[in-house]
Amino acid sequence: MPRELIGAPEGGALRFGIVVSRFNRSITAPLLAGALEALATHGVHDDDIVVAHVPGAFEIPFAAQALARSGRYQALVCLGAVVRGETPHFDYICGEVARGVGRVVAEYRIPAAFGVLTTDTIEQALARAGEGHGNKGYEAAVTAIEMAQLARLLG
Ligand code: INI
């Protein structure tokens, strides 16, 4: 049988950095609440969580890089909401934030969960930021825990 490596969904004794953007706050506030709920449910202590607030999704990689560089966190959770408007801004922002977070992961070898919603409408975003398990912030935080644990197993 092959040896299988799966990160346990146990967050005790791990530290997490969350980056959340304010743009479309009606979406990002419930994403943050969902992420904090998931971390608490999986045993992460408040003292082991830092939340960095940035103006918009474009600024997420900057804060994520600073948190990664500190070496204090076992994983990051990036939360934002980019809603398609009438301008090409949407495509630029989505591309930059995804590439930027990916660069942080590669450069600092730290897992980062991508909880940045990219939707056509606010309604679509709201549907992904509701209560409980449909909340993408919650899902991103659970992903961060699993990946932090997997990183330990991978060494
Ligand atoms: N930022 C978002 O997080 N979501 C958006 O939908 C958005 N739109 O549509 O423009 C947005 N723009 C701001 C951007 O992220 C930067 O904060 C801004 O350009 C300053 O650098």
Side-chain angles (χ1 to χ4, degrees):
M1 286 288 281
R3 190 161 72 102
E4 298 193 51
L5 304 177
I6 302 177
E10 290 159 16
L14 296 174
R15 291 184 303 275
F16 293 86
I18 299 176
V19 184
V20 60
S21 50
R22 273 192 302 276
F23 205 104
N24 292 321
R25 196 184 201 133
S26 62
I27 313 290
T28 62
L31 289 179
L32 176 60
L36 292 173
E37 183 193 338
L39 294 179
T41 300
H42 291 81
V44 183
H45 303 285
D46 268 358
D47 292 349
D48 291 327
I49 304 169
V50 71
V51 182
H53 295 266
V54 296
F58 188 77
E59 285 75 36
I60 288 174
F62 177 86
Q65 190 202 40
L67 294 176
R69 196 178 49 215
S70 76
R72 289 195 201 105
Y73 308 100
Q74 277 71 53
L76 303 177
V77 181
C78 298
L79 304 173
V82 193
V83 178
R84 187 183 290 279
E86 298 296 311
T87 71
H89 216 159
F90 175 87
D91 297 304
Y92 293 127
I93 294 172
C94 293
E96 285 309 314
V97 66
R99 263 190 299 276
V101 171
R103 268 198 292 271
V104 170
V105 171
E107 187 175 345
Y108 293 95
R109 206 190 161 275
I110 183 173
F114 195 73
V116 179
L117 301 181
T118 58
T119 60
D120 287 333
T121 66
I122 287 276
E123 290 70 29
Q124 289 170 346
L126 276 170
R128 293 161 175 76
E131 300 278 312
H133 289 259
N135 182 299
K136 295 296 173 187
Y138 188 104
E139 287 181 11
V142 173
T143 294
I145 294 169
E146 177 176 343
M147 288 304 297
Q149 293 286 9
L150 179 63
R152 284 178 156 183
L153 297 176
L154 290 169

